[in-house]
Amino acid sequence: MFSQPDSTESTPLPPPESAETDVSAGEPPSSTSSSLASAASPSLSDGTKTPSPNLSPNRPQIPITWPDGGILTLDWVTNLMSTFDWSSRNLRPAEFPTVLPVEVFDAIVLTASKILHKEPNCVSIEPEKEGGVGSSVVVVGDVHGQLHDVLFLLNETGLPSENRFFVFNGDYVDRGAWGLETFLLLLAWKVLLPERVFLLRGNHESKYCTSVYGFEREVLAKYGDNSKGKHVYRKCLGCFEGLPLASIIAGCVYTAHGGVFRNIPATPSKRAKGKKNRKVIVSAESVPLSLGSLEELSKARRTVLNPPWEGPNLIPGDVLWSDPSMKPGLSPNKERGIGLLWGPDCTEDFLKKFSLKLIIRSHEGPDAREKRPGLGGMDEGYTIDHVVPSGKLITVFSAPDYPQFQATEDRYKNKGAYIVLKSPNFDTPIFRSFEATIPRPKVNPYYNFEEVIDSDEELDLTLMVQSS
């Protein structure tokens, strides 16, 4: 196991705001919460203060309107950033349609969905070819509806541009209170710069997770528990289905939310009368596990509300739910009930087989990592989990002070992180850790966080069947 480099301790920040408890009350954010422009500045891991995003504390022009001709501009998207920040601090959730009418929501989601559904399961990103010499790629992990930390991250890294690419590794929603704003903002960036911003699917972009961990209730709280709110939620689910599963950056870096995936063997069946031999997918339980190929990944069916945990279409579930282990080999991920556990030997085999240098995945926050023997904690927002002859396996988690609502008295107080890959050495990651933007606006949770302590542990397969 690779040991993380020591970093200078950041300046201590005040404790995070405590959460209120009853989402049905529809309480507005605390009037004492200042705008992001005047909030305490987060710190990078070297202890230096960084400026908060330059977002106006003044009331923006609302409602937001869709531009004539449907062509987004940089000004439109940056205005969306500042408007979402302002509304999160000054309006009740039920007032959100006064900021973003359903018609504008529809336009963003429809336009983005058309782009996403046309992308392959594994998108190929060639920064130097498309962005020129000096290009960089920012890889972002889970953000879980923590809008203000996403706004900080975008401004800290520099906004997406012709030579600055972004790959988001999924889990935009659930647990945090602003999953809808976060997802819509990233969709807007995708529409503006479809060849520079890449949004991958996380395990929380599913009907099952969003029905348990808050996103469904968040949408209904903001657009109404009626036909309008259900329409918005349904359109989000449809957009989730279009999100690609993985990316390969500069031919040497594989990114996905969970990680690697299995081979799905196919064998010919007995010859049926009057018919040609057919291929029958063998049950995954009946054959030894082995790593799958990129060709198999490209053919997997990703347009599912919930990635299956059984049957022939197991690759999406593997890519979104799997976890690394220090134990050699490939085995079922029994703790989660879906996906795989894979050891350093499998990381080496995967990298070598596809001529890669890095695997960058996400999926595990501080709550998950405290139960993983042999693997590093998520205090700095990233860990280097496997170091093998062909390269490294890295986990990056971009939601600091996670989760937003926590049942235990002691918070994890983890930093978030993102990874910068720069030309010409895209296989040499640069890690940037940052602390949470505070104070967060006070807002009620959208799920029973006191009962749901561990985000993705022990998948409720019965509930997943019901939600499919």
Side-chain angles (χ1 to χ4, degrees):
M1 174 124 178
F2 188 91
S3 59
Q4 286 180 212
D6 295 332
S7 60
T8 306
E9 197 65 33
S10 299
T11 305
L13 290 174
E17 297 284 345
S18 60
E20 297 175 30
T21 53
D22 183 9
V23 71
S24 64
E27 289 297 320
S30 169
S31 60
T32 60
S33 293
S34 60
S35 74
L36 187 54
S38 60
S41 296
S43 303
L44 290 177
S45 57
D46 62 2
T48 59
K49 285 289 183 180
T50 56
S52 295
N54 185 23
L55 301 175
S56 171
N58 300 321
R59 181 185 178 93
Q61 183 69 41
I62 56 175
I64 292 169
T65 57
W66 190 246
D68 293 337
I71 305 300
L72 297 191
T73 63
L74 179 60
D75 284 345
W76 193 94
V77 178
T78 54
N79 178 64
L80 189 70
M81 293 170 67
S82 59
T83 301
F84 281 173
D85 174 59
W86 177 87
S87 65
S88 73
R89 298 176 183 279
N90 293 280
L91 299 181
R92 294 177 175 87
E95 295 176 288
F96 189 67
T98 68
V99 175
L100 193 80
V102 171
E103 296 76 16
V104 182
F105 163 86
D106 282 342
I108 295 173
V109 171
L110 177 61
T111 308
S113 290
K114 287 180 178 179
I115 297 169
L116 293 167
H117 278 273
K118 290 178 181 178
E119 291 183 329
N121 285 346
C122 183
V123 293
S124 177
I125 304 169
E126 296 292 344
E128 284 196 324
K129 183 186 296 185
E130 299 170 17
V133 177
S135 295
S136 63
V137 183
V138 179
V139 182
V140 182
D142 303 41
V143 295
H144 281 295
Q146 295 184 193
L147 172 69
H148 310 92
D149 298 314
V150 173
L151 294 174
F152 167 77
L153 186 154
L154 287 170
N155 281 272
E156 166 58 29
T157 58
L159 299 176
S161 64
E162 191 65 23
N163 65 354
R164 186 180 296 112
F165 295 66
F166 276 76
V167 176
F168 291 87
N169 244 0
D171 276 16
Y172 313 108
V173 303
D174 281 342
R175 305 208 106 196
W178 302 280
L180 184 59
E181 290 93 328
T182 300
F183 185 54
L184 291 174
L185 175 61
L186 296 181
L187 290 182
W189 276 110
K190 179 66 180 176
V191 171
L192 178 66
L193 294 170
E195 301 299 327
R196 298 295 182 270
V197 176
F198 296 90
L199 307 181
L200 307 184
R201 190 172 182 176
N203 65 301
H204 277 264
E205 279 73 59
S206 66
K207 192 172 189 296
Y208 165 75
C209 281
T210 54
S211 68
V212 174
Y213 300 106
F215 181 66
E216 180 180 15
R217 290 188 67 190
E218 178 193 343
V219 170
L220 299 183
K222 290 174 179 175
Y223 279 101
D225 192 358
N226 50 34
S227 59
K228 187 178 291 186
K230 291 173 182 176
H231 163 84
V232 169
Y233 178 57
R234 187 169 63 250
K235 290 298 181 183
C236 287
L237 293 179
C239 192
F240 292 164
E241 290 188 301
L243 294 166
L245 301 176
S247 78
I248 293 182
I249 302 168
C252 62
V253 180
Y254 169 85
T255 83
H257 183 71
V260 302
F261 50 92
R262 76 189 76 196
N263 163 254
I264 306 293
T267 57
S269 68
K270 292 181 180 179
R271 188 180 183 88
K273 260 191 175 182
K275 295 183 179 180
K276 293 181 179 179
N277 283 355
R278 296 175 298 174
K279 284 189 174 181
V280 176
I281 304 297
V282 178
S283 168
E285 288 75 25
S286 65
V287 294
L289 286 171
S290 61
L291 290 172
S293 68
L294 295 179
E295 182 181 2
E296 287 178 290
L297 174 61
S298 71
K299 294 178 180 178
R301 185 167 68 88
R302 75 175 191 253
T303 53
V304 290
L305 288 174
N306 295 309
W309 71 95
E310 61 182 3
N313 191 34
L314 294 175
I315 288 177
D318 288 347
V319 174
L320 302 186
W321 284 89
S322 294
D323 295 303
S325 170
M326 294 310 295
K327 181 180 178 180
L330 201 61
S331 61
N333 196 336
K334 294 180 180 178
E335 286 188 7
R336 294 194 189 269
I338 185 172
L340 304 169
L341 291 174
W342 82 93
D345 56 328
C346 298
T347 293
E348 169 64 15
D349 290 348
F350 190 86
L351 292 174
K352 189 173 182 179
K353 182 177 181 180
F354 302 116
S355 302
L356 301 167
K357 296 294 183 182
L358 295 176
I359 298 173
I360 302 178
R361 45 91 63 177
S362 302
H363 193 37
E364 291 183 289
D367 53 346
R369 271 301 168 96
E370 71 176 359
K371 298 180 177 65
R372 303 295 311 284
L375 294 173
M378 204 50 63
D379 294 347
E380 294 297 315
Y382 71 94
T383 55
I384 300 176
D385 302 316
H386 296 160
V387 177
V388 294
S390 294
K392 297 173 183 175
L393 165 69
I394 298 166
T395 297
V396 61
F397 192 80
S398 303
D401 192 32
Y402 173 88
Q404 180 179 350
F405 305 105
Q406 193 167 329
T408 55
E409 187 175 342
D410 293 331
R411 298 186 66 83
Y412 291 106
K413 298 180 181 178
N414 65 293
K415 295 176 184 176
Y418 56 89
I419 295 172
V420 182
L421 308 173
K422 287 188 175 182
S423 170
N425 302 314
F426 290 102
D427 57 353
T428 304
I430 302 168
F431 300 96
R432 294 283 185 262
S433 296
F434 62 98
E435 295 188 353
T437 300
I438 60 170
R440 287 173 177 153
K442 286 187 177 181
V443 67
N444 296 317
Y446 295 108
Y447 69 109
N448 190 339
F449 66 94
E450 292 183 344
E451 290 187 6
V452 184
I453 295 176
D454 296 313
S455 179
D456 306 321
E457 198 170 300
E458 296 184 10
L459 193 67
D460 187 334
L461 300 181
T462 302
L463 184 57
M464 182 179 272
V465 170
Q466 293 171 350
S467 68
S468 296

